[in-house]
């Protein structure tokens, strides 16, 4: 039996604990049975249940074991002391001896003795029958802990089927529970990418997870930076973990172990191929015992059920035997039905065994490995290509692998070499796209990007002039279309959006297009539409692009993250949070990149969602994780925006120290990514500065950003700037914000427009209606802003009853957030007044001038003015008189 050590926090199990306690208190039931795989935490769960019983029932532990399975009543030996040799074989004597340990019945007391039976699958039949007899006689209750394979004893299964013994299947921890356990054990926040990697490596098994966490700190692949734990290498399987896993496999037969080794080395392997390399009966046994999983027809791919089992088995197979298994598998594999991973494995085995495939297969392996984010093998396969005609394509794949490893300078040299005297349109395209990627990562100028495109156009024309075949002409036409798309992309990066929609729609419908150009055009069109206030239409375009990627198998995998990130942003701007989460589920976990790539995006998205719903504390935590995660892998270059957002969330959550640190950091973030991302980061950095007491000219600069962004077609950025200006007390921002968002799509645009239009017209009735719309859509701070302003307007018009009704609704709305219930329409989410600010508000309400307040507070008049600006920003007001209203309420 494998036990989780005491003192380790139990997470993600509260519902099942409550269910077990209910079953144990049910007067009509016999108890509960918990079934789960080894290490999933059955023993820890039982310990927690016993603790919550609080001594109400006397507990009698029983533990099964493989050595006792053949001994009748062997597991009951602690309760059978004093029996004679003759009595040991008598069930009546055994029962009498066991009954001596039980307390006498106390009427109809619900607190019967409780037998906690661990490793029940190892019990002998006699013990099971005796325990079933006891609970049937209402002398005790049972808490049975058993593995699913081998299955629990027949007696307990029968009681479960009859509804007398409530069954609970204990599943591995889900991602959120893994993250919580990581944070509790490590004592701090953990990058979402790191917790995702650990969840994947351990399959959510708590015992394996705790082992990796312990050894990770000792071996140094788990480190703490800026208060956040992250993984800086791949976890290795140490001896303790090997011993734990091998102890579970030790009881398997030799044929079973041989089959497990084949699966570990070849997974996923088709069931038909596996049955030719291993004993078919053993394969069926392993499947019945849930050690392997078999996928759906037609291939029915087989894998080990637990990732760590694969790692342990692979490392423990002797080299000579590993080579023999690989040769045997190579002989039975059907190349027509292999998965991409299987294809790479067969190429690797061919190289290992001295029988490498031909050069086209090696090149294809390099391409696939790069698309599956395996730069190490991509380098190995591409460097093995020797055919002169394939040299350019091999150089491109070597460069792609070097980019993945961060060697941008060397990759640039390889790309330039591939383009030198290039005579292949495919090489010209791939080399240009790689050079473009390198320049984006290095933050080079738009002029440098255009030079790459000009060079591509030159290469296309030169190659096109070498022949007049129809195929060459068609391919050149497709390449010219790709170059035009890159020029559109540069304009998107520059934030010059006017006139872009037409050429992008033409590219989508072009007769010269391919699946690749159509995918790129749809992705850019989706980004354009979302940036101009049409996120629903934008999401439809990016969804179509993702469907094309999926339909093209591995051919377009390199575009998946590019398109998915834009799809997610469109859904966020449309207010479709559940759909955005579904995208993460479908693409982030199964991305060809390391899971840490999408983890930064996941935290960014969840942080924005938390801000929109008024959970400023959660927003701060997630956005801080986003910044840390994006430091590691900011492929789409949103770090500038994320840093500004994180600073704003910290200020909104009154975490001023971190907010100031992030503002300082914001000024040093490399000036990369699109102008839209940089401007959005700037907007939130400005607002953060205002909340921290640096108010000079913030509202005016926000209006300037809005005007400039709108002039270039960046309507989403302009709306963000105007919204924040309004929240800082600039009531003049309502009119342009209402005009700008009038045609916006999606729930977010509709809510913002309803608020801005009603505030512009000083209409409390429409503000109350807008509050309802915002509340229904989950935008609680905006609902609160509507209700604050409505209450003020009704108060100023002498409609006291309506004002009180709005205030009551406001209190109810804000009770669902972590915002204060004071302030007015423009209140910054979560803003709180300091003690000094509260004192100044009280003095202003009593009629003191700034000079009087300065004298009473022993500060300068300028300092008082700064405090007042900050107070106005936090409460969303623009006039001194409005402080009296906030005090009256």
């Amino acid at each position: 039996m494998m036990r989780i050590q005491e003192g380790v926090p139990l997470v993600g199990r509260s519902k099942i604990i409550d269910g077990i306690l209910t079953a144990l208190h049910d007067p009509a039931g016999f108890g509960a049975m918990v079934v789960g795989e080894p290490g999933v935490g059955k023993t820890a769960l039982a310990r927690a249940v016993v603790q919550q019983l609080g001594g109400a029932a006397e507990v009698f532990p029983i533990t099964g074991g493989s050595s006792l399975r053949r001994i009748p009543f062997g597991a009951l030996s602690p309760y059978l002391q004093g029996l004679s040799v003759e009595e040991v074989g008598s069930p009546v004597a055994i029962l009498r001896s066991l009954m001596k340990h039980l307390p006498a019945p106390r009427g109809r007391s619900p607190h019967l003795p409780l037998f906690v039976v661990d490793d029940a699958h190892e019990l002998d039949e006699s013990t099971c029958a005796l325990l079933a007899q006891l609970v049937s006689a209402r002398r005790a209750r049972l808490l049975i802990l058993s593995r699913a394979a081998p299955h629990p004893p027949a007696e307990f299964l029968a009681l479960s089927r009859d509804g007398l013994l409530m069954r609970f299947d204990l599943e591995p921890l889900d991602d959120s529970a893994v993250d919580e356990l990581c944070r509790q054990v490590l004592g701090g926040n953990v990058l979402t990418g790191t917790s995702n990697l650990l969840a994947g490596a351990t399959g959510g098994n708590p015992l394996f997870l705790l082992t990796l966490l312990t050894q990770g700190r000792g071996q140094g692949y788990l480190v703490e930076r800026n208060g956040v734990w992250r993984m800086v290498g791949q976890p290795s399987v140490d001896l303790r973990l090997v011993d734990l896993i091998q102890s579970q496999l030790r009881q398997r037969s030799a044929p079973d172990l041989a089959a497990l080794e084949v699966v570990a080395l070849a997974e996923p392997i088709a069931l038909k191929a596996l049955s030719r390399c291993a004993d078919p009966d053993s394969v069926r046994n392993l499947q019945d015992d849930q050690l392997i999983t078999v996928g759906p027809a037609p291939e029915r791919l087989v894998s080990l059920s637990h990732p760590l089992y694969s790692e342990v088995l692979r490392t423990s197979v002797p080299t000579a035997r590993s080579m023999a298994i690989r040769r045997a598998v190579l002989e039975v594999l059907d190349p027509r039905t292999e998965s991409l991973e299987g294809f790479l494995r067969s190429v690797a085995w061919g190289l290992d065994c001295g029988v490498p495939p031909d050069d086209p297969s090696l090149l294809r392996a390099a391409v696939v490995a790069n698309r599956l984010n395996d730069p190490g093998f991509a380098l190995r396969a591409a460097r093995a290509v020797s055919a002169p005609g394939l040299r350019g394509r091999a150089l491109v794949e070597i460069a792609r692998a070097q980019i993945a490893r961060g060697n941008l300078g060397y990759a640039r040299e390889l790309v330039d070499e591939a383009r030198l005297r290039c005579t292949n349109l495919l090489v010209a395209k791939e080399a240009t796209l790689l050079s473009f990627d390198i320049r984006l990562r290095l933050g080079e100028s738009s002029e440098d990007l255009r030079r790459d495109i000009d060079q591509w156009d030159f290469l296309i024309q030169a190659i096109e002039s070498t022949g007049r075949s129809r195929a060459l002409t068609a391919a050149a036409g497709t390449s010219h279309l790709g170059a035009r798309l890159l020029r559109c992309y540069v304009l998107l990066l520059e934030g010059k959006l006017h006139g872009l929609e037409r050429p992008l729609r033409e590219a989508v419908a072009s007769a010269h297009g391919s699946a690749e150009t159509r995918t790129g055009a749809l992705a850019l069109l989706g980004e354009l539409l979302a940036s101009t206030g049409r996120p629903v239409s934008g999401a439809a375009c990016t969804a179509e692009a993702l469907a094309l990627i999926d339909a093209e198998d591995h051919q377009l995998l390199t575009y998946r993250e590019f398109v998915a990130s834009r799809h997610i942003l469109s859904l966020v701007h449309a207010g479709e949070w559940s759909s955005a989460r579904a995208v993460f589920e479908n693409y982030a976990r199964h991305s060809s990149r390391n899971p840490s790539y999408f983890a930064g995006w996941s935290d960014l998205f969840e942080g924005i969602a938390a801000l929109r719903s008024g959970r400023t504390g959660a927003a701060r935590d997630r956005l801080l994780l986003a910044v840390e995660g994006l430091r590691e892998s900011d492929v789409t270059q949103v770090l500038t925006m994320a840093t500004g957002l994180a600073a704003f969330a910290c200020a909104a959550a009154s975490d001023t120290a971190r907010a100031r640190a992030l503002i300082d950091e914001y000024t040093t973030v490399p000036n990369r990514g699109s102008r839209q991302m940089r401007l959005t980061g700037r907007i939130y950095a400005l607002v953060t500065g205002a909340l921290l007491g640096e108010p000079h000219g913030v509202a005016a600069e926000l209006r300037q950003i809005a005007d400039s962004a709108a002039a270039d077609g960046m309507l989403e950025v302009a709306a963000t700037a105007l919204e924040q200006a309004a929240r800082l007390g600039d009531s003049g921002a309502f009119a342009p914000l209402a005009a700008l968002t009038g045609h916006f799509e999606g729930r977010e645009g509709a809510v913002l427009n309803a608020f801005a239009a009603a505030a512009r017209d000083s209409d409390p009735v429409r503000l109350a209606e807008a509050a309802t719309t915002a509340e229904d859509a989950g935008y609680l701070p905006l609902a609160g802003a509507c209700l604050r302003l409505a209450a003020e307007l009704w108060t100023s018009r002498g409609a006291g009853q309506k004002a009180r009704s709005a205030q009551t609704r406001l209190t109810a709305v804000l009770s669902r957030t972590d915002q204060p219930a004071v302030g007015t329409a423009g209140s910054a989410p979560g803003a709180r007044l300091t003690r000094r600010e509260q004192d100044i508000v009280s003095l202003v309400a009593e009629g003191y001038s700034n000079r009087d307040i300065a004298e009473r507070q022993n500060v300068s008049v300028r300092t008082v003015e700064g405090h007042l600006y900050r107070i106005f920003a936090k409460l969303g007001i623009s006039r001194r008189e409005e402080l009296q209203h906030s005090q009256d309420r």
Side-chain angles (χ1 to χ4, degrees), residues 66-335:
S66 57
S67 61
L68 299 174
R69 192 189 306 173
R70 297 178 181 85
I71 304 174
F73 305 111
L76 299 177
S77 57
Y79 307 104
L80 305 181
Q81 297 174 2
L83 291 179
S84 65
V85 175
E86 293 79 10
E87 291 174 320
V88 168
S90 169
V92 175
I94 298 290
L95 178 61
R96 187 181 300 116
S97 178
L98 185 60
M99 294 287 289
K100 290 179 181 178
H101 294 273
L102 302 182
R106 292 178 293 178
R108 300 180 59 85
S109 172
H111 304 301
L112 295 174
L114 177 65
F115 284 99
V116 179
V117 186
D118 209 347
D119 285 344
H121 53 278
E122 299 280 16
L123 288 182
D124 62 279
E125 294 181 1
S126 300
T127 299
C128 294
L130 182 60
L131 291 175
Q133 182 180 352
L134 274 175
V135 296
S136 297
R138 302 290 181 175
R139 294 302 307 274
R141 285 195 173 91
L142 294 176
L143 177 53
I144 303 295
L145 312 176
S146 176
R147 297 183 189 176
H151 57 73
E155 286 84 354
F156 303 141
L157 286 175
L159 292 176
S160 176
R161 284 192 293 268
D162 292 339
L164 297 172
L165 197 62
M166 188 64 64
R167 174 168 177 159
F168 297 89
D169 289 293
L170 191 60
E171 301 293 337
L173 300 177
D174 60 20
D175 286 358
S176 61
V178 167
D179 182 68
E180 175 65 20
L181 185 56
C182 289
R183 288 193 290 110
Q184 291 197 23
V185 172
L186 295 175
N189 283 332
V190 182
L191 279 186
T192 305
T194 292
S195 64
N196 284 349
L197 281 169
L198 291 170
T202 62
N205 185 294
L207 180 66
F208 295 160
L209 177 60
L210 290 167
T211 303
L212 285 186
L213 290 174
T214 301
Q215 77 178 41
R217 286 185 292 191
Q219 295 181 5
Y221 62 75
L222 284 176
V223 298
E224 185 180 20
R225 294 180 191 164
N226 299 320
V228 178
W229 286 88
R230 69 192 69 210
M231 190 175 292
V232 294
Q234 290 299 316
S236 57
V237 183
D238 69 356
L239 290 178
R240 178 175 176 235
L241 204 51
V242 170
D243 289 342
L244 288 172
I245 293 173
Q246 287 183 341
S247 68
Q248 299 180 35
L249 302 176
R250 199 167 291 132
Q251 299 176 18
R252 309 301 307 193
S253 67
D256 285 1
L257 289 174
L260 285 171
E261 289 174 347
V262 173
V263 178
L265 289 170
E267 65 177 338
I269 180 174
L271 180 61
K272 182 185 297 184
L274 175 61
S275 298
R276 294 174 61 186
C277 297
D279 177 50
D281 291 335
S282 292
V283 173
R284 284 191 290 272
N285 292 338
L286 296 173
Q287 186 179 359
D288 291 341
D289 292 345
Q290 300 179 12
L291 284 173
I292 62 173
T293 58
V294 181
E299 291 186 311
R300 306 199 68 193
L301 296 176
V302 181
S303 299
L304 283 171
S305 299
H306 202 289
L308 282 180
Y309 284 28
S310 303
E311 184 68 22
V312 169
L313 285 166
R314 279 194 293 268
T315 56
S316 61
V317 176
T319 302
R321 176 162 175 73
S322 175
M323 295 290 285
I325 292 174
R326 294 179 185 191
R327 290 192 186 99
V329 173
L330 278 173
E331 291 177 0
V332 302
L333 285 180
D334 181 358

Side-chain angles (χ1 to χ4, degrees), residues 6 175 281-282 340 507 622 658 705 865:
E6 294 189 34
D175 286 358
D281 291 335
S282 292
L340 295 180
R622 295 306 293 260
R658 284 185 180 174
I705 291 174
E865 291 172 348

Side-chain angles (χ1 to χ4, degrees), residues 525-652:
L525 180 59
E527 181 176 354
L528 172 70
L529 294 173
S531 301
T532 54
R534 292 171 286 172
V536 176
S537 301
C541 290
T542 48
E544 186 177 349
L546 287 173
L548 277 172
I549 293 171
D550 291 340
E552 291 293 319
D553 193 20
H554 71 284
Q555 300 298 324
L556 300 177
L557 276 183
T558 52
Y559 293 96
R560 177 173 285 175
E561 284 79 19
F562 181 88
V563 178
S565 59
R566 281 148 181 80
H567 186 55
I568 291 164
L569 278 180
S570 293
L571 292 171
V572 167
H573 287 312
E576 300 295 336
W577 305 105
S578 59
S579 297
R581 288 187 178 92
V583 174
F584 281 116
E585 189 66 28
N586 291 333
Y587 289 100
R589 178 55 61 84
H590 306 292
S591 169
S592 60
R593 293 186 184 273
N594 184 296
S596 63
Y597 167 77
F598 260 108
W601 266 88
S602 173
D603 289 318
L604 177 62
F605 152 68
E606 293 292 354
I608 294 173
L611 272 179
R612 298 289 200 272
S613 61
R615 296 174 292 115
T616 55
R620 174 199 58 196
D621 294 343
R622 295 306 293 260
L623 289 170
L624 286 172
L625 287 175
V627 169
E628 293 300 321
L630 291 168
R631 289 190 218 277
E632 307 287 328
S633 180
D634 186 20
V635 178
T636 46
Q637 301 176 330
V638 296
L639 183 57
T640 306
M641 181 183 76
T643 305
L645 272 169
F648 173 71
C650 287

Side-chain angles (χ1 to χ4, degrees), residues 734-735 737-739 741-742 750-775 782-791 793-794 797 802 806 809:
F734 286 125
L737 180 59
T741 57
V751 167
L752 192 57
N753 178 256
F755 167 55
R760 175 200 60 198
D761 298 338
S762 299
D763 188 334
V765 174
R766 285 163 54 203
L767 280 167
E769 293 171 351
T772 300
T773 303
E775 188 176 1
L782 199 52
C786 293
L787 292 169
R788 286 191 188 101
L789 185 53
L793 290 170
W794 268 317
R797 297 170 187 179
K802 291 181 178 179
R809 280 189 63 192

Side-chain angles (χ1 to χ4, degrees), residues 52 146 419 439 462:
Q52 292 210 25
S146 176
R419 288 191 291 187
R439 293 190 190 281

Side-chain angles (χ1 to χ4, degrees), residues 652-829:
S654 299
D655 188 349
T656 56
R658 284 185 180 174
R660 292 185 188 282
L662 283 165
I663 285 296
D664 292 339
E665 181 182 326
Y666 171 82
T667 61
T668 65
V669 173
N671 195 26
R672 298 174 184 165
S674 70
R675 180 172 165 229
Q676 297 178 70
M677 293 295 172
R678 298 197 302 272
L679 281 178
T680 304
R682 175 64 179 160
I683 289 168
Y684 285 104
L686 284 170
V687 176
T688 303
L691 295 179
L692 296 178
E694 301 167 4
H696 306 292
V698 170
E701 186 168 351
L702 288 173
R703 294 289 290 274
Q704 289 173 3
I705 291 174
D707 291 343
S708 174
D712 284 332
M714 295 181 290
L715 304 186
E716 183 66 39
V717 173
T720 300
L722 289 171
E723 178 190 1
Q724 294 305 319
R727 285 176 177 272
L728 289 177
D730 182 0
S731 57
F734 286 125
L737 180 59
L740 192 66
T741 57
H743 73 282
F744 273 24
E745 297 177 347
R747 285 183 289 184
E748 182 169 300
V751 167
L752 192 57
N753 178 256
F755 167 55
R760 175 200 60 198
D761 298 338
S762 299
D763 188 334
V765 174
R766 285 163 54 203
L767 280 167
E769 293 171 351
T772 300
T773 303
E775 188 176 1
D776 291 343
Y779 293 87
L780 300 183
L782 199 52
C786 293
L787 292 169
R788 286 191 188 101
L789 185 53
E792 289 179 4
L793 290 170
W794 268 317
T795 299
S796 66
R797 297 170 187 179
Q801 181 60 41
K802 291 181 178 179
R804 285 189 292 274
S805 176
Q807 185 63 39
T808 300
R809 280 189 63 192
L810 172 63
T811 301
V813 168
L814 294 187
S815 68
R816 297 162 56 191
T817 74
D818 51 11
Q819 288 189 236
V822 298
T824 56
S827 295

